[in-house]
Amino acid sequence: MRSPVLSLTWHLVRSSGRRGLQSRLLAAAAAAVGAFVLLVMVAAALGSGTRADRTAWRTPEPARHATAIQALATTYVRHEPVSVVSLAQLPGRPGTPAPPGLASFPKRGGVYVSPALAALLHQLPADQLADRFPKVSSYGTIGAAGLASPDELVAVVGRAPTDPAVSKAAEGSTVADIGLAGRAGITGFHGTQANLFTSYDRQTALLGVALLVMPVVVLAAASGRLGAARREQQLAALRLAGATPRQVVGMTALESAALGAAGALAGAGLYVALLPLLAEVPYGVGGWYVSQLWVGLPWLVAVVAVVTGLITVSAVSMLRQVAVSPLGVAQQSAPRRTRIIRLVLFVAVLLYLWGSTGGGQLSTRRVIGLLLTFYGAFWLFGPWVVDRLGRLVSRFARRPATLLAGRRLSDDPRGAWRTVSGLVLAGFAAGFFAVSMIGMDGSAHRGQVAVAGAQVSEVRTLLRDAGIRATVRAVGEDDWDGLLPGTPGVVAHMSGGGQAELDRAVTALAPANPARPPITQDYVTASDRTAVGRFAEVSTATLALSFLVATTSAGLTAAAGVLDRRRVYGLLRLAGTPLKVLDRARVRETVIPLVALAGGTTAIGVYASYRLNKLLGASINATGALELAACVAVGALAMFAAIGGSRPLLRRVTEDAARSAD
């Protein structure tokens, strides 16, 4: 005998009318947004790892029977790093394979540049950049296989084995040279150490993913419960008519899975369509190649399945009361209370997190695990706080709208929590990133150029020939506060001219030490600025996506709440309650838990950032208070706008109060 689940589900969908269709469309839209954001997150995490792998070949790794010599040097132009890879084939040795992005091993005197560097070489005067490289009639091109980004500035230069650029002096001698300079005998390009400018990308991207996972889960849960009250009433009636609990669960799962899959597939389609546009979004060294952001079919299917599963589980989880007490649901006689065990678990998790961050270094994986643990605990704790807030507000309310809001909070704390949970959890991300680490700015070395191992007379001559005015002084092994800590050399301090003059000085002083390019403050602060820069970029993207997901979640939940409560609103309107009072009650139902909970999560986020920065030995961004206030203000305005968007819907469902209350 064929199961009646499919036919009953289809009948309920067809008979739900326009309001039921609106709820289902909202659920599908929420699934689409969740799948799209989740795919973008996965693409950023996977793509940053791919980009880092594409830069590993530039770091020389010693080989026992070397066939060539490779040296890495880094120079700066307009504050942007230019990675220069010098290669020299050793005589009498087997041929060395071509580096990634080149068709063959470069010949002596050949210069290959990335497309972005080629454009810059033609754009800038030769005395600012081109004169740093050997003179050639034309530049070769480095292909995408050797680049992390279309915007990367990279050069590969063919050298003679006796060229100073590949001598032992090119290895570097200061702490600042780590990741920026190196030299070794090689047999090929099989390096595993990512370039400094891409080595932080994946860790910071994963941190952003961890902070975004819970808001996406919140959105999926909210979409799975859209139309919950109407569905509960329909399924309770079926249970009273003889339907089994298994049939009720099956109908809900089937409908939710179909809606979730349709919405998730739409979000996946949007992700695929927007891939070229997403590739233009800069991160780290620049934009992306489209292939780097393509997650692949397995990940695409997995994300669609995860979003569909979250929505289905969320919808089915609300059916416990329908299966156990359908009469109570039909009469709406059993308010859903929360238990104090939620508070106990939350306190236990906070104590665990406190102990886990008390000392020692934390790996990226450990930090992500702690963040997810905190999110999970707060997700359990939120409804308990909303329930208690509702009881307090109801007891001390002096206005009708406040009384209605308090009763709604205590009658359905889980539903009220779902409306604000996205922004509450986004408040944690805002607090976490607002006081992020700032590192060092190197302002003490502004306008200076240093050349290791150079002579004062030679530096003065080169600058004079280039028409550059500067103060020149020698530094020795006892000088640890300058651009050449503990290394003899010469420092030239420009008397003016801005960045263009500084770039001219770097170019003019290149012959002073062919093995070591001149360095500036950009060079010595590269590691700190790279880490802080990635953190800042991820924080901006995470906050934007968090508030987008939170606002979407709040708007959908508010609209669905109006549709679910249209019978209650109709009865209140028949009793003489003005529409303005109902609308004010809706707003206060959101504002009260939002102020109480978002303030707490924001403060916890600030403290978590403080603890993380303390472990990393970084300083705190005291000016982040203004950014934090802006984030909170924007989030609150977005929340009110999302709730206000359902005001016309409230007006429509209460126009015919007698029919709505029927």
Side-chain angles (χ1 to χ4, degrees):
M1 182 177 178
R2 193 178 70 172
S3 173
V5 171
L6 183 60
S7 58
L8 276 175
T9 303
W10 178 242
H11 174 73
L12 290 177
V13 171
R14 286 190 305 168
S15 62
S16 60
R18 186 179 64 183
R19 303 271 161 70
L21 178 62
Q22 290 172 339
S23 294
R24 290 178 176 87
L25 289 177
L26 289 174
V33 173
F36 174 76
V37 173
L38 199 56
L39 283 168
V40 171
M41 292 158 47
V42 172
L46 297 178
S48 14
T50 301
R51 300 210 308 180
D53 293 340
R54 285 193 178 184
T55 64
W57 68 271
R58 301 173 204 161
T59 303
E61 291 196 1
R64 175 176 296 181
H65 304 292
T67 60
I69 300 176
Q70 177 183 356
L72 171 67
T74 305
T75 185
Y76 275 81
V77 58
R78 300 199 303 188
H79 300 297
E80 293 295 327
V82 181
S83 298
V84 182
V85 179
S86 296
L87 297 172
Q89 176 68 40
L90 291 174
R93 305 289 177 88
T96 307
L102 272 65
S104 60
F105 193 87
K107 296 181 179 180
R108 183 185 307 177
V111 180
Y112 298 79
V113 297
S114 62
L117 181 56
L120 198 59
L121 286 168
H122 287 89
Q123 176 186 346
L124 295 178
D127 63 354
Q128 291 186 24
L129 180 59
D131 289 346
R132 304 180 195 181
F133 304 104
K135 300 292 184 182
V136 293
S137 57
S138 63
Y139 297 105
T141 301
I142 303 175
L147 301 173
S149 164
D151 303 321
E152 226 184 351
L153 305 179
V154 182
V156 177
V157 182
R159 307 278 189 179
T162 56
D163 194 302
V166 293
S167 64
K168 290 187 177 181
E171 294 178 355
S173 57
T174 68
V175 176
D177 293 321
I178 298 176
L180 299 176
R183 182 258 188 199
I186 62 169
T187 57
F189 302 91
H190 312 293
T192 57
Q193 183 179 350
N195 186 271
L196 171 67
F197 305 108
T198 59
S199 59
Y200 296 99
D201 291 5
R202 189 166 192 177
Q203 289 86 345
T204 50
L206 287 174
L207 181 61
V209 168
L211 290 169
L212 276 170
V213 162
M214 190 54 70
V216 172
V217 172
V218 168
L219 178 61
S223 62
R225 295 172 184 268
L226 290 176
R230 181 181 181 86
R231 189 186 296 129
E232 280 187 337
Q233 291 294 312
Q234 291 175 332
L235 297 178
L238 288 174
R239 281 284 288 122
L240 292 174
T244 65
R246 180 177 297 179
Q247 290 173 333
V248 168
V249 171
M251 284 186 287
T252 301
L254 184 61
E255 178 186 350
S256 302
L259 288 174
L265 286 172
L270 181 64
Y271 155 76
V272 173
L274 293 181
L275 269 179
L277 185 61
L278 292 172
E280 297 296 325
V281 179
Y283 175 56
V285 292
W288 308 73
Y289 291 104
V290 173
S291 60
Q292 294 171 341
L293 290 180
W294 169 240
V295 298
L297 191 59
W299 272 105
L300 196 74
V301 173
V303 168
V304 171
V306 166
V307 173
T308 303
L310 286 173
I311 291 174
T312 304
V313 170
S314 175
V316 170
S317 64
M318 72 176 187
L319 297 179
R320 183 174 60 87
Q321 193 67 20
V322 174
V324 175
S325 179
L327 184 60
V329 172
Q331 295 177 344
Q332 298 180 345
S333 59
R336 300 174 178 179
R337 298 299 182 189
T338 56
R339 299 179 180 178
I340 198 170
I341 187 63
R342 294 173 179 264
L343 173 62
V344 175
L345 290 175
F346 181 70
V347 172
V349 169
L350 285 186
L351 292 175
Y352 169 73
L353 295 177
W354 178 282
S356 299
T357 59
Q361 294 295 325
L362 292 179
S363 64
T364 302
R365 183 176 300 179
R366 179 70 169 167
V367 171
I368 292 173
L370 293 176
L371 287 174
L372 294 178
T373 301
F374 169 76
Y375 272 162
F378 211 93
W379 178 255
L380 289 174
F381 179 59
W384 185 87
V385 178
V386 173
D387 191 359
R388 270 59 188 178
L389 282 174
R391 297 183 190 184
L392 287 174
V393 170
S394 299
R395 178 175 299 179
F396 299 103
R398 297 183 179 181
R399 296 181 180 275
T402 306
L403 178 61
L404 286 173
R407 290 299 303 272
R408 284 302 309 165
L409 290 175
S410 59
D411 285 346
D412 188 13
R414 295 173 182 84
W417 162 247
R418 286 192 296 271
T419 302
V420 301
S421 57
L423 191 58
V424 168
L425 297 176
F428 175 80
F432 184 83
F433 285 122
V435 292
S436 59
M437 51 187 177
I438 58 176
M440 57 185 291
D441 62 2
S443 58
H445 312 306
R446 188 168 296 144
Q448 297 181 15
V449 180
V451 186
Q455 300 297 321
V456 171
S457 58
E458 183 181 10
V459 168
R460 284 175 176 167
T461 300
L462 290 172
L463 291 176
R464 184 176 61 251
D465 292 344
I468 299 172
R469 299 178 59 186
T471 302
V472 180
R473 64 182 178 90
V475 294
E477 296 180 354
D478 297 332
D479 188 347
W480 290 92
D481 297 327
L483 292 176
L484 298 172
T487 301
V490 177
V491 175
H493 195 162
M494 305 303 108
S495 56
Q499 185 60 39
E501 190 76 358
L502 192 66
D503 290 337
R504 288 184 62 223
V506 171
T507 305
L509 294 178
N513 186 351
R516 299 285 308 280
I519 63 174
T520 62
Q521 70 166 357
D522 292 323
Y523 188 95
V524 297
T525 60
S527 181
D528 285 335
R529 290 190 305 108
T530 300
V532 173
R534 299 303 179 271
F535 199 82
E537 290 171 347
V538 168
S539 68
T540 302
T542 301
L543 288 177
L545 289 176
S546 293
F547 285 122
L548 170 65
V549 172
T551 303
T552 303
S553 175
L556 291 174
T557 307
V562 172
L563 296 175
D564 286 344
R565 301 173 194 169
R566 62 183 181 276
R567 182 172 181 271
V568 176
Y569 287 139
L571 291 172
L572 289 171
R573 291 288 285 127
L574 287 175
T577 306
L579 182 62
K580 184 180 295 186
V581 173
L582 296 180
D583 192 43
R584 288 176 180 172
R586 283 195 325 125
V587 174
R588 293 176 188 181
E589 182 184 341
T590 302
V591 171
I592 293 172
L594 183 62
V595 171
L597 291 170
T601 54
T602 302
I604 293 175
V606 171
Y607 180 73
S609 181
Y610 163 74
R611 299 283 288 187
L612 178 61
N613 289 340
K614 185 177 180 180
L615 287 174
L616 296 176
S619 52
I620 294 296
N621 185 2
T623 62
L626 184 60
E627 298 177 8
L628 180 59
C631 288
V632 172
V634 170
L637 290 175
M639 177 68 70
F640 292 140
I643 297 173
S646 59
R647 187 174 294 119
L649 184 60
L650 175 65
R651 186 179 299 108
R652 284 201 301 272
V653 300
T654 56
E655 284 177 351
D656 189 354
R659 183 175 179 181
S660 298
D662 188 3

